[in-house]
Amino acid sequence: MIYLILSIFISSSLFVIFKLFDKFQVNTFQAIVVNYITAFCCGFFFYGNGITLTEMTERSWMTGAIILGVLFIAVFILMALTAQRNGLSVASVAGKMSVVVPVIFAVIVYKEHLSLLKIAGIILALLAVYLTTVKNDGGGLDRKKLLFPLLLFLGSGIIDTSIKYIETNYVAKGETAIFSAGIFGCAFLAGIIILIIRRDFKITGKTILGGIALGIPNFYSIVFLLKALRPENIGDSSTVYPINNVAIVMLSTIFGIILFKEKLIIKNWIGIAIAIVSIVMIAISAQSINA
């Protein structure tokens, strides 16, 4: 459970960094690309155990890392488009409610058990995500603009599902960090291609610093999540992903209140309360199954 807690706290801190990008006028996409090469370097140089780039490309998980790297960039772009066309609350809800995709996959493929308590907890988690992110700005779902939220939902769900599948079937016990580095390295290459296509070459020092500040915690957030997904730890993705997603939304909201004086409506506070209840229900369900 400690790895999941660490992943939640670090992932939530990324919210603070993105808010600071806004404040200091950092080019977000460029910083994302710098973040990916920073995260790659963290894994390759500190956890590579002497592995070479050639040896990395020969690993059985490399094809999966390439696909995930491209998906990382694609989902980021979808998130930006959804936020611009539908609002931030819709983007957040679409991204985090995608938790149902890996849960359904886990039940069908891994035969993970869903007790009534866990099902109820997952339903409450989805409700909590919606209530925590909804605003009074008319940011609700517009049926005429469902394409980007739907693609974001599917893309985020596919990423979570693929990470678990590749981690379970192809990544050796000691290679979690270098596998994560591989994903980030591929995402960096995909980002560079997009920058070239967009001819977005002008990069500032603060963008580089912002990317580095984002890349280090981003690397560890996925490493700890992957460790939580390993069989010797929690392993059960129908437990890990609901807790991870709803806790990140809840904690990010709390960070927004404390650090950036964001205002919440009654629905948001109800969402936070429901989030806590859903996490407790899913955790109790997991413990009863493992007992």
Side-chain angles (χ1 to χ4, degrees):
M1 187 64 76
I2 184 65
Y3 290 122
L4 179 56
I5 292 171
L6 287 170
S7 176
I8 290 166
F9 270 94
I10 294 174
S11 297
S12 300
S13 73
L14 300 179
F15 161 83
V16 178
I17 297 171
F18 277 119
K19 291 287 285 188
L20 291 174
F21 282 0
D22 226 13
K23 180 179 179 180
F24 292 102
Q25 297 181 320
V26 172
N27 183 311
T28 302
F29 188 78
Q30 288 184 350
I32 287 285
V33 175
V34 175
N35 136 83
Y36 286 142
I37 189 61
T38 302
F40 168 77
C41 290
C42 283
F44 185 75
F45 292 110
F46 297 133
Y47 299 95
N49 295 322
I51 191 173
T52 65
L53 288 173
T54 302
E55 290 171 337
M56 276 187 71
T57 61
E58 295 171 350
R59 290 292 195 268
S60 58
W61 44 256
M62 194 62 207
T63 300
I66 293 171
I67 294 170
L68 282 169
V70 173
L71 280 173
F72 271 31
I73 286 287
V75 167
F76 171 77
I77 294 172
L78 282 171
M79 192 175 299
L81 288 171
T82 303
Q84 291 165 3
R85 300 187 183 203
N86 299 79
L88 288 173
S89 61
V90 176
S92 181
V93 169
K96 293 306 178 185
M97 281 193 173
S98 65
V99 67
V100 299
V101 178
V103 168
I104 291 171
F105 186 84
V107 172
I108 295 173
V109 176
Y110 303 122
K111 310 300 180 185
E112 290 185 6
H113 177 67
L114 280 184
S115 65
L116 288 176
L117 184 62
K118 182 180 284 188
I119 292 171
I122 291 171
I123 292 172
L124 284 179
L126 296 176
L127 178 61
V129 169
Y130 173 74
L131 290 175
T132 305
T133 54
V134 71
K135 304 295 179 188
N136 278 333
D137 56 4
L141 277 174
D142 181 346
R143 292 181 182 179
K144 296 179 181 178
K145 299 180 180 179
L146 279 175
L147 177 61
F148 288 113
L150 180 60
L151 290 174
L152 176 58
F153 172 86
L154 291 174
S156 299
I158 290 170
I159 285 177
D160 288 343
T161 303
S162 301
I163 284 176
K164 167 67 175 178
Y165 181 80
I166 298 168
E167 166 70 14
T168 301
N169 294 284
Y170 298 102
V171 181
K173 186 175 181 180
E175 293 193 346
T176 297
I178 197 65
F179 167 60
S180 303
I183 296 173
F184 287 122
C186 294
F188 168 72
L189 294 176
I192 287 293
I193 292 171
I194 293 173
L195 288 177
I196 291 172
I197 293 172
R198 291 168 51 175
R199 297 187 178 183
D200 188 8
F201 304 123
K202 188 177 180 180
I203 188 168
T204 64
K206 63 182 178 183
T207 298
I208 294 173
L209 289 174
I212 293 171
L214 180 66
I216 296 171
N218 198 14
F219 170 74
Y220 285 102
S221 70
I222 194 170
V223 168
F224 290 138
L225 177 60
L226 285 169
K227 285 182 177 292
L229 286 167
R230 292 204 68 85
E232 65 268 20
N233 296 313
I234 300 175
D236 188 344
S237 54
S238 64
T239 297
V240 171
Y241 282 120
I243 293 177
N244 183 70
N245 282 21
V246 74
I248 289 172
V249 172
M250 180 184 70
L251 199 56
S252 297
T253 301
I254 292 171
F255 281 162
I257 297 169
I258 296 172
L259 300 176
F260 302 104
K261 311 302 180 186
E262 293 185 354
K263 304 296 183 182
L264 299 189
I265 61 176
I266 296 298
K267 286 182 180 179
N268 301 148
W269 288 111
I270 294 173
I272 291 174
I274 292 176
I276 295 170
V277 173
S278 71
I279 290 171
V280 172
M281 290 173 68
I282 296 169
I284 291 173
S285 173
Q287 287 177 351
S288 64
I289 292 172
N290 295 329

mmCIF file of all heavy atoms in Angstrom, residues 76-97:
data_model
loop_
_atom_site.group_PDB
_atom_site.id
_atom_site.type_symbol
_atom_site.label_atom_id
_atom_site.label_comp_id
_atom_site.label_asym_id
_atom_site.label_seq_id
_atom_site.Cartn_x
_atom_site.Cartn_y
_atom_site.Cartn_z
ATOM 1 N N PHE A 76 -2.390 13.541 -23.806
ATOM 2 C CA PHE A 76 -2.129 14.913 -23.360
ATOM 3 C C PHE A 76 -2.785 15.923 -24.306
ATOM 4 O O PHE A 76 -3.417 16.897 -23.874
ATOM 5 C CB PHE A 76 -0.628 15.179 -23.280
ATOM 6 C CG PHE A 76 -0.296 16.633 -23.039
ATOM 7 C CD1 PHE A 76 -0.427 17.189 -21.776
ATOM 8 C CD2 PHE A 76 0.124 17.442 -24.081
ATOM 9 C CE1 PHE A 76 -0.149 18.527 -21.563
ATOM 10 C CE2 PHE A 76 0.410 18.776 -23.868
ATOM 11 C CZ PHE A 76 0.277 19.324 -22.603
ATOM 12 N N ILE A 77 -2.651 15.686 -25.610
ATOM 13 C CA ILE A 77 -3.260 16.581 -26.594
ATOM 14 C C ILE A 77 -4.788 16.528 -26.482
ATOM 15 O O ILE A 77 -5.467 17.562 -26.531
ATOM 16 C CB ILE A 77 -2.809 16.196 -28.018
ATOM 17 C CG1 ILE A 77 -1.305 16.449 -28.173
ATOM 18 C CG2 ILE A 77 -3.596 16.984 -29.073
ATOM 19 C CD1 ILE A 77 -0.720 15.920 -29.469
ATOM 20 N N LEU A 78 -5.343 15.326 -26.318
ATOM 21 C CA LEU A 78 -6.792 15.175 -26.147
ATOM 22 C C LEU A 78 -7.277 15.905 -24.892
ATOM 23 O O LEU A 78 -8.353 16.511 -24.883
ATOM 24 C CB LEU A 78 -7.161 13.697 -26.059
ATOM 25 C CG LEU A 78 -7.204 12.927 -27.375
ATOM 26 C CD1 LEU A 78 -7.359 11.434 -27.107
ATOM 27 C CD2 LEU A 78 -8.342 13.425 -28.261
ATOM 28 N N MET A 79 -6.479 15.843 -23.837
ATOM 29 C CA MET A 79 -6.839 16.513 -22.591
ATOM 30 C C MET A 79 -6.897 18.030 -22.812
ATOM 31 O O MET A 79 -7.816 18.706 -22.341
ATOM 32 C CB MET A 79 -5.823 16.183 -21.502
ATOM 33 C CG MET A 79 -6.248 16.593 -20.095
ATOM 34 S SD MET A 79 -5.062 16.025 -18.854
ATOM 35 C CE MET A 79 -5.145 14.252 -19.062
ATOM 36 N N ALA A 80 -5.912 18.546 -23.550
ATOM 37 C CA ALA A 80 -5.882 19.979 -23.832
ATOM 38 C C ALA A 80 -7.087 20.386 -24.693
ATOM 39 O O ALA A 80 -7.748 21.393 -24.419
ATOM 40 C CB ALA A 80 -4.580 20.341 -24.549
ATOM 41 N N LEU A 81 -7.383 19.594 -25.727
ATOM 42 C CA LEU A 81 -8.510 19.893 -26.609
ATOM 43 C C LEU A 81 -9.838 19.827 -25.860
ATOM 44 O O LEU A 81 -10.726 20.662 -26.057
ATOM 45 C CB LEU A 81 -8.528 18.920 -27.790
ATOM 46 C CG LEU A 81 -7.426 19.112 -28.841
ATOM 47 C CD1 LEU A 81 -7.422 17.957 -29.829
ATOM 48 C CD2 LEU A 81 -7.607 20.431 -29.580
ATOM 49 N N THR A 82 -9.972 18.823 -24.981
ATOM 50 C CA THR A 82 -11.202 18.682 -24.205
ATOM 51 C C THR A 82 -11.374 19.847 -23.253
ATOM 52 O O THR A 82 -12.474 20.395 -23.099
ATOM 53 C CB THR A 82 -11.195 17.354 -23.405
ATOM 54 O OG1 THR A 82 -11.014 16.266 -24.306
ATOM 55 C CG2 THR A 82 -12.507 17.153 -22.658
ATOM 56 N N ALA A 83 -10.281 20.255 -22.618
ATOM 57 C CA ALA A 83 -10.339 21.391 -21.687
ATOM 58 C C ALA A 83 -10.719 22.673 -22.415
ATOM 59 O O ALA A 83 -11.497 23.486 -21.909
ATOM 60 C CB ALA A 83 -8.986 21.552 -20.990
ATOM 61 N N GLN A 84 -10.184 22.844 -23.637
ATOM 62 C CA GLN A 84 -10.463 24.053 -24.398
ATOM 63 C C GLN A 84 -11.897 24.089 -24.919
ATOM 64 O O GLN A 84 -12.548 25.130 -24.920
ATOM 65 C CB GLN A 84 -9.483 24.163 -25.574
ATOM 66 C CG GLN A 84 -8.048 24.443 -25.135
ATOM 67 C CD GLN A 84 -7.042 24.188 -26.245
ATOM 68 O OE1 GLN A 84 -7.414 23.858 -27.366
ATOM 69 N NE2 GLN A 84 -5.758 24.324 -25.932
ATOM 70 N N ARG A 85 -12.404 22.941 -25.363
ATOM 71 C CA ARG A 85 -13.721 22.904 -26.014
ATOM 72 C C ARG A 85 -14.868 22.587 -25.063
ATOM 73 O O ARG A 85 -16.008 22.950 -25.323
ATOM 74 C CB ARG A 85 -13.695 21.881 -27.153
ATOM 75 C CG ARG A 85 -12.652 22.205 -28.217
ATOM 76 C CD ARG A 85 -12.763 21.297 -29.403
ATOM 77 N NE ARG A 85 -11.709 21.587 -30.392
ATOM 78 C CZ ARG A 85 -11.793 21.292 -31.682
ATOM 79 N NH1 ARG A 85 -12.880 20.696 -32.148
ATOM 80 N NH2 ARG A 85 -10.812 21.573 -32.505
ATOM 81 N N ASN A 86 -14.559 21.860 -23.981
ATOM 82 C CA ASN A 86 -15.625 21.428 -23.074
ATOM 83 C C ASN A 86 -15.468 21.951 -21.650
ATOM 84 O O ASN A 86 -16.405 21.871 -20.865
ATOM 85 C CB ASN A 86 -15.693 19.896 -23.023
ATOM 86 C CG ASN A 86 -15.990 19.271 -24.372
ATOM 87 O OD1 ASN A 86 -15.102 19.144 -25.202
ATOM 88 N ND2 ASN A 86 -17.242 18.895 -24.604
ATOM 89 N N GLY A 87 -14.266 22.422 -21.303
ATOM 90 C CA GLY A 87 -14.026 22.910 -19.954
ATOM 91 C C GLY A 87 -13.134 21.971 -19.156
ATOM 92 O O GLY A 87 -13.033 20.775 -19.429
ATOM 93 N N LEU A 88 -12.451 22.533 -18.147
ATOM 94 C CA LEU A 88 -11.509 21.758 -17.329
ATOM 95 C C LEU A 88 -12.202 20.644 -16.565
ATOM 96 O O LEU A 88 -11.667 19.544 -16.408
ATOM 97 C CB LEU A 88 -10.793 22.699 -16.354
ATOM 98 C CG LEU A 88 -9.760 23.647 -16.961
ATOM 99 C CD1 LEU A 88 -9.268 24.635 -15.904
ATOM 100 C CD2 LEU A 88 -8.590 22.873 -17.535
ATOM 101 N N SER A 89 -13.399 20.915 -16.061
ATOM 102 C CA SER A 89 -14.094 19.912 -15.256
ATOM 103 C C SER A 89 -14.431 18.687 -16.088
ATOM 104 O O SER A 89 -14.293 17.548 -15.632
ATOM 105 C CB SER A 89 -15.370 20.496 -14.638
ATOM 106 O OG SER A 89 -16.269 20.925 -15.639
ATOM 107 N N VAL A 90 -14.849 18.894 -17.339
ATOM 108 C CA VAL A 90 -15.174 17.779 -18.229
ATOM 109 C C VAL A 90 -13.916 16.966 -18.535
ATOM 110 O O VAL A 90 -13.940 15.731 -18.542
ATOM 111 C CB VAL A 90 -15.828 18.286 -19.531
ATOM 112 C CG1 VAL A 90 -16.072 17.123 -20.494
ATOM 113 C CG2 VAL A 90 -17.140 18.984 -19.224
ATOM 114 N N ALA A 91 -12.803 17.658 -18.775
ATOM 115 C CA ALA A 91 -11.546 16.966 -19.063
ATOM 116 C C ALA A 91 -11.121 16.104 -17.887
ATOM 117 O O ALA A 91 -10.694 14.954 -18.056
ATOM 118 C CB ALA A 91 -10.449 17.989 -19.389
ATOM 119 N N SER A 92 -11.248 16.648 -16.682
ATOM 120 C CA SER A 92 -10.864 15.904 -15.487
ATOM 121 C C SER A 92 -11.762 14.691 -15.277
ATOM 122 O O SER A 92 -11.291 13.585 -14.999
ATOM 123 C CB SER A 92 -10.931 16.819 -14.260
ATOM 124 O OG SER A 92 -10.555 16.128 -13.106
ATOM 125 N N VAL A 93 -13.069 14.895 -15.425
ATOM 126 C CA VAL A 93 -14.019 13.788 -15.240
ATOM 127 C C VAL A 93 -13.776 12.692 -16.273
ATOM 128 O O VAL A 93 -13.705 11.506 -15.944
ATOM 129 C CB VAL A 93 -15.482 14.298 -15.340
ATOM 130 C CG1 VAL A 93 -16.448 13.131 -15.413
ATOM 131 C CG2 VAL A 93 -15.819 15.166 -14.140
ATOM 132 N N ALA A 94 -13.616 13.076 -17.553
ATOM 133 C CA ALA A 94 -13.408 12.102 -18.624
ATOM 134 C C ALA A 94 -12.128 11.302 -18.406
ATOM 135 O O ALA A 94 -12.094 10.078 -18.615
ATOM 136 C CB ALA A 94 -13.360 12.811 -19.975
ATOM 137 N N GLY A 95 -11.064 11.988 -17.958
ATOM 138 C CA GLY A 95 -9.789 11.310 -17.736
ATOM 139 C C GLY A 95 -9.817 10.348 -16.570
ATOM 140 O O GLY A 95 -9.335 9.218 -16.661
ATOM 141 N N LYS A 96 -10.414 10.763 -15.461
ATOM 142 C CA LYS A 96 -10.378 9.943 -14.251
ATOM 143 C C LYS A 96 -11.464 8.866 -14.213
ATOM 144 O O LYS A 96 -11.284 7.817 -13.603
ATOM 145 C CB LYS A 96 -10.487 10.840 -13.018
ATOM 146 C CG LYS A 96 -9.268 11.742 -12.824
ATOM 147 C CD LYS A 96 -7.975 10.948 -12.808
ATOM 148 C CE LYS A 96 -6.753 11.842 -12.661
ATOM 149 N NZ LYS A 96 -5.481 11.070 -12.758
ATOM 150 N N MET A 97 -12.599 9.100 -14.874
ATOM 151 C CA MET A 97 -13.641 8.077 -14.909
ATOM 152 C C MET A 97 -13.254 6.903 -15.818
ATOM 153 O O MET A 97 -13.906 5.869 -15.817
ATOM 154 C CB MET A 97 -14.973 8.671 -15.352
ATOM 155 C CG MET A 97 -15.701 9.407 -14.245
ATOM 156 S SD MET A 97 -17.410 9.765 -14.669
ATOM 157 C CE MET A 97 -18.005 10.434 -13.098
#
